Amino acid sequence: MSALGHYLEEAGIATVAIALIRPQAEKTKPPRALWVPFELGRPFGPPSDPAFQKRVILSALRLLERESGPVVIEDFADDDPRAQPDPAWHPPFIPATVTAGSPESVASRLEAEMLLLQGAHQRWVTQHGRTTIGLSRLPMDECARYVADWLRGTAPPSSREGFSAPLILRFAIDDVKAYCLEAAGAGTARPSSRQLGDWFWNGTATGAAIRALREVLLVHEDERLRLIVSNFIVPAARVR
């Protein structure tokens, strides 16, 4: 987007960018950019905080009034207020997870975990009136089974016409991750994304299963599948 700003400016359209990675903005030299110290995917700060998000937007738009240049990169003054852990938050109750084990045992624990989180997830949906799951278009029990069967080595076929099995696997993994994280966010506490991520990747059977699946499929003969599992199912920061 920083590079695109130059082309828009040449056409007479003033631009300002929100930069999440400052070295990248410094390299591409956008006409105007506001660097924000937030995690990727949150350019305006924490969700459900319109007052804070408005401050970010106004800070960016004010760069349009600056007469210095040709490159202006300014830092937003405040950190994400939701970056700090909430001591009042507790994860949904699930039995202690053993992250090691055979692919079959990890796959079975993943399927069982979906049932254990049903109540918490329903509370989240009731609280927010929406859900982000649905990419795979599979009911959650079938979605979990689809991921688990890949871990068991059965490589199930695609469940949707026009979509390859590796792509449906990616969608199903995204759905089970979203299901767990939404369930963990139910209630009045406001956990930070790091709290949620630490719990999911280090304390759930689902996180353990996805990690194990990545390792199994990295040596698969299907190049598309290897590309998907190496780049999209486990964040780089969570790859051990």
Side-chain angles (χ1 to χ4, degrees):
M1 294 304 296
S2 295
L4 183 60
H6 291 286
Y7 291 99
L8 295 174
E9 295 269 344
E10 289 175 2
I13 302 173
T15 65
V16 60
I18 300 287
L20 287 157
I21 304 175
R22 205 180 201 287
Q24 184 182 57
E26 292 170 349
K27 184 175 182 179
T28 54
K29 293 180 171 56
R32 301 165 203 83
L34 178 71
W35 174 76
V36 292
F38 313 143
E39 64 180 289
L40 294 178
R42 293 186 174 182
F44 299 121
S48 304
D49 193 339
F52 187 88
Q53 293 170 352
K54 182 178 180 180
R55 284 184 53 213
V56 176
I57 293 172
L58 290 177
S59 295
L61 292 177
R62 288 191 187 104
L63 295 182
L64 294 170
E65 302 172 351
R66 298 278 290 273
E67 296 182 358
S68 56
V71 176
V72 176
I73 302 177
E74 189 168 295
D75 296 348
F76 187 70
D78 298 320
D79 290 329
D80 182 342
R82 292 275 297 279
Q84 298 301 315
D86 184 349
W89 177 75
H90 300 284
F93 171 77
I94 56 174
T97 300
V98 179
T99 57
S102 68
E104 171 60 38
S105 66
V106 176
S108 296
R109 291 200 302 271
L110 181 157
E111 292 179 291
E113 196 164 83
M114 295 300 104
L115 296 175
L116 292 169
L117 292 174
Q118 267 186 347
H121 187 263
Q122 186 54 55
R123 289 193 296 275
W124 192 94
V125 173
T126 301
Q127 183 179 348
H128 295 274
R130 59 181 174 82
T131 180
T132 59
I133 65 174
L135 278 174
S136 67
R137 297 187 184 177
L138 292 170
M140 190 46 57
D141 58 340
E142 294 180 25
C143 187
R145 188 179 308 119
Y146 192 85
V147 176
D149 284 346
W150 275 97
L151 188 53
R152 294 182 177 112
T154 60
S158 171
S159 58
R160 288 171 60 185
E161 185 178 354
F163 292 82
S164 68
L167 188 57
I168 293 298
L169 174 62
R170 179 184 173 183
F171 289 166
I173 289 172
D174 284 344
D175 278 347
V176 296
K177 285 194 289 189
Y179 186 84
C180 290
L181 294 173
E182 288 179 356
T188 57
R190 305 182 74 184
S192 69
S193 60
R194 179 174 291 276
Q195 276 181 293
L196 292 174
D198 287 347
W199 167 76
F200 178 76
W201 291 110
N202 302 329
T204 71
T206 304
I210 294 172
R211 270 205 181 108
L213 182 60
R214 181 182 186 274
E215 295 303 313
V216 168
L217 297 182
L218 278 176
V219 295
H220 197 277
E221 60 183 12
D222 189 326
E223 183 178 358
R224 294 174 304 168
L225 186 57
R226 294 199 307 271
L227 180 65
I228 286 174
V229 300
S230 64
N231 290 290
F232 298 114
I233 70 171
V234 180
R238 299 290 178 173
V239 175
R240 290 174 176 170

